[in-house]
Amino acid sequence: MYYSRIKLLSVVAVCLLGALLCVPNFVRKPALNIPWPQIHLGLDLRGGSYLLLQVDLDSLTHDRLQSLSDNMRQALISANLGYRNISIDQKGASLSFQPRDPSEKDRDVKVVEGLPRLVPNEFAVTSRGDGTIVLALSPDATRARAHDAVSQAIEIVRRRIDATGAVDPQITRQGEDRIVVELPGISDPERIKALLGTTARMTFRLVDEMPPGTAVAPPGDTMLPLADHPDQTLAVRDHIDVDGADLTNAGATTDEQTGGWAVSFSLNSIGTRAFGDVTQANVGRRFAIVLDNKVIEAPVIRSAITGGNGIITGNFDAHQATDLGLLLRAGALPVPLSVVEERSIGPSLGADSIRAGAMSLAVGFGLVIVFMALFYGLFGWYANVALFANLVLMLAILSLFGATLTLPGMAGMLLTLGMAVDANILIIERIREELKRGRTPLAAMQAGFERATSTVLDSNATAFLAHVMLFVFGTGPVRGFALTITIGIATTLFSTLFLSRMLMVRWYALTRPSTLPV
């Protein structure tokens, strides 16, 4: 029943700090450069766009088989071994070939077995009775790579959206191959869709000059269209000499020769070394810059380029150059994405939701105050003060961490207020019971606080654990609901066990009543 001055000041300081952190939610930010933490409104309150993206996992298998085919060719040639009839089976997730000479079969198998694997046991190599050698991808390894690819795609999607300046986007996985993107405040997501629908994989590959009119590329090459002239194609090698994954920076700039817009880029040490080696060994040949299987440029190599910096010219305008630089900086998507569902929520609907949520919160809060005042008198009013402080502290913590408030979150706040009242009712009812047993007011308060505290802690601890699990394993609205409840439990314990108790104790110390108003 004793509150030291330090303890009393600490409780008051926490309440004042909570009130201060709530201010940015109701006052416009001043021109001063000071922190201004606010609660962000979710898609259902603020309005915005909802996108459901589908990950093309089949292309992941195709690209890996294509890469293994290219690596296999290079390895066999390096070992002075030949091959015939290389073919890729997309459905069977395998590729096969026949040795140049049946006597070389064992050596071919050994070379193919030595190809680098991205994950353990990624593929198995077998030989058929007719001499055909088959490399088959493991289903388990394919699933593991697909899971990693979706996780990587989510991270790259997040980077691309953050670079556009979108405020508090929500990006989550749905199922095995889908990604949900919620963009509060963005009612026209066309630019976002364009950014997310672009794989943005840039590679540098040598061009094999073919006679005019050639439509079929030789083995190891692919006919790719020009970005500016889709009806024209070039025979580009499948082997990637420099990968865009080695880019360290990219951005819009201007071409000094033409004055038009261009994109400058820089490579890391690995990319710089590879770029220097390939340009030094192929002076006079064309070097294609390929973006998503379209040739942006195919300049002739005049001399070795060893600086690791370059510039991509083309018919870019400022917007296209900026977006391409953004895509290259964020990194290439490991798999293509397509929009399978799109919804837009207008700001007027969001405003209606806010009004409805605020009305329900105000009505619920008012009814609780009236109930406590009528049934528990002065101690009920002290519980109401603690309840108001509880609401302020909840808003303060949500503001401090820049949390996103949704309609389920507002429902969680209302439920928290009811749970907070339960804790105060337990304490007051316990005090009533002790008075009926003939205890003095001081002894009744002491026993009431001590015996009800354990019950309050136990009930809130179990609720806390349950809602933590909801937050960890839930998604979307469930997580928003669980977050506010979890924060509310912490603020409830503070407001009940410290603030309301302090108010009751200070009142008793000042008045020394003969009876308690409960």
Side-chain angles (χ1 to χ4, degrees):
M1 295 294 291
Y2 172 72
Y3 261 68
S4 66
R5 187 179 298 274
I6 294 178
K7 189 175 180 180
L8 189 148
L9 291 176
S10 299
V11 173
V12 174
V14 170
C15 295
L16 292 177
L17 179 60
L20 183 63
L21 290 173
C22 287
V23 170
N25 296 294
F26 306 100
V27 178
R28 186 183 299 274
K29 183 178 180 179
L32 301 175
N33 187 18
I34 57 175
W36 206 251
Q38 289 179 306
I39 297 174
H40 300 294
L41 298 180
L43 190 66
D44 51 359
L45 296 179
R46 186 180 177 186
S49 297
Y50 169 96
L51 299 175
L52 180 62
L53 306 176
Q54 178 82 42
V55 178
D56 185 6
L57 295 180
D58 290 338
S59 68
L60 188 69
T61 301
H62 177 270
D63 291 346
R64 183 54 182 157
L65 290 173
Q66 191 70 43
S67 174
L68 285 171
S69 175
D70 184 49
N71 293 341
M72 187 174 65
R73 286 191 181 94
Q74 298 292 329
L76 291 172
I77 292 173
S78 300
N80 295 319
L81 297 171
Y83 53 86
R84 294 184 295 113
N85 302 328
I86 290 183
S87 63
I88 293 177
D89 181 6
Q90 177 73 27
K91 288 187 177 180
S94 64
L95 61 89
S96 60
F97 73 97
Q98 293 179 335
R100 177 181 56 189
D101 190 308
S103 63
E104 297 178 346
K105 185 176 73 170
D106 292 339
R107 295 172 60 197
D108 286 342
V109 171
K110 187 176 181 180
V111 169
V112 176
E113 281 279 9
L115 293 176
R117 291 166 167 79
L118 297 180
V119 294
N121 303 318
E122 181 186 13
F123 56 81
V125 182
T126 58
S127 59
R128 297 173 183 165
D130 60 355
T132 301
I133 297 173
V134 179
L135 184 154
L137 296 176
S138 163
D140 291 339
T142 301
R143 282 193 293 270
R145 290 193 62 234
H147 183 274
D148 293 341
V150 174
S151 299
Q152 184 182 353
I154 290 174
E155 181 59 32
I156 292 172
V157 165
R158 190 182 308 280
R159 286 188 216 157
R160 292 185 181 183
I161 292 178
D162 288 345
T164 65
V167 178
D168 199 42
Q170 301 296 311
I171 304 167
T172 55
R173 180 198 292 262
Q174 185 180 90
E176 293 294 326
D177 59 352
R178 292 189 172 188
I179 300 172
V180 174
V181 179
E182 295 182 357
L183 304 169
I186 296 180
S187 57
D188 183 16
E190 291 304 318
R191 185 189 177 205
I192 302 292
K193 287 169 57 180
L195 291 176
L196 300 184
T198 304
T199 306
R201 187 187 182 194
M202 189 172 74
T203 56
F204 299 83
R205 303 187 235 170
L206 289 170
V207 175
D208 285 333
E209 299 295 343
M210 304 294 295
T214 302
V216 179
D221 286 8
T222 302
M223 302 299 291
L224 296 180
L226 302 181
D228 295 337
H229 303 284
D231 55 327
Q232 301 179 21
T233 59
L234 286 177
V236 180
R237 285 192 175 182
D238 292 333
H239 177 71
I240 297 173
D241 295 289
V242 182
D243 197 328
D246 295 325
L247 286 170
T248 58
N249 195 18
T253 186
T254 53
D255 186 0
E256 296 180 356
Q257 297 180 356
T258 64
W261 285 96
V263 178
S264 62
F265 65 89
S266 302
L267 296 166
N268 60 19
S269 58
I270 296 175
T272 299
R273 184 166 55 252
F275 207 89
D277 292 343
V278 70
T279 54
Q280 186 174 15
N282 294 277
V283 174
R285 296 188 61 180
R286 298 179 74 183
F287 200 31
I289 302 173
V290 181
L291 180 68
D292 292 345
N293 293 322
K294 292 181 181 179
V295 179
I296 299 179
E297 279 188 295
V300 176
I301 301 173
R302 301 298 182 187
S303 61
I305 302 173
T306 58
N309 299 314
I311 187 170
I312 305 170
T313 59
N315 295 323
F316 299 129
D317 57 25
H319 183 76
Q320 292 172 333
T322 301
D323 282 354
L324 179 55
L326 183 157
L327 292 171
L328 296 179
R329 285 196 308 273
L333 287 168
V335 284
L337 300 176
S338 59
V339 179
V340 296
E341 183 181 349
E342 176 185 355
R343 297 200 304 265
S344 293
I345 299 175
S348 59
L349 180 60
D352 292 340
S353 299
I354 292 175
R355 282 193 294 271
M359 179 64 69
S360 63
L361 193 62
V363 172
F365 188 78
L367 290 175
V368 168
I369 288 177
V370 172
F371 173 85
M372 293 298 292
L374 290 177
F375 281 82
Y376 297 105
L378 182 61
F379 280 11
W381 281 109
Y382 288 149
N384 288 335
V385 172
L387 192 64
F388 180 76
N390 191 9
L391 179 61
V392 170
L393 290 174
M394 271 196 293
L395 294 175
I397 295 176
L398 291 172
S399 301
L400 183 63
F401 292 102
T404 300
L405 183 63
T406 60
L407 277 176
M410 296 185 75
M413 294 176 67
L414 185 57
L415 180 59
T416 298
L417 296 179
M419 293 168 60
V421 167
D422 288 344
N424 282 285
I425 289 175
L426 282 173
I427 293 174
I428 298 174
E429 286 291 346
R430 189 68 190 187
I431 293 174
R432 276 183 174 177
E433 291 180 5
E434 297 300 327
L435 287 174
K436 290 179 181 179
R437 291 179 180 179
R439 289 180 178 266
T440 63
L442 181 61
M445 290 180 64
Q446 179 76 24
F449 284 127
E450 288 180 353
R451 295 179 182 180
T453 296
S454 60
T455 305
V456 171
L457 289 174
D458 290 345
S459 61
N460 280 278
T462 54
F464 180 83
L465 292 175
H467 288 91
V468 166
M469 292 301 102
L470 276 180
F471 182 81
V472 171
F473 297 107
T475 59
V478 175
R479 295 191 69 175
F481 176 80
L483 176 64
T484 52
I485 292 286
T486 304
I487 293 174
I489 290 172
T491 57
T492 293
L493 291 176
F494 172 82
S495 61
T496 301
L497 301 181
F498 291 95
L499 180 59
S500 63
R501 182 171 180 169
M502 182 195 75
L503 294 173
M504 295 178 190
V505 168
R506 293 304 300 167
W507 168 82
Y508 183 85
L510 293 173
T511 60
R512 299 289 179 174
S514 58
T515 59
L516 295 179
V518 292

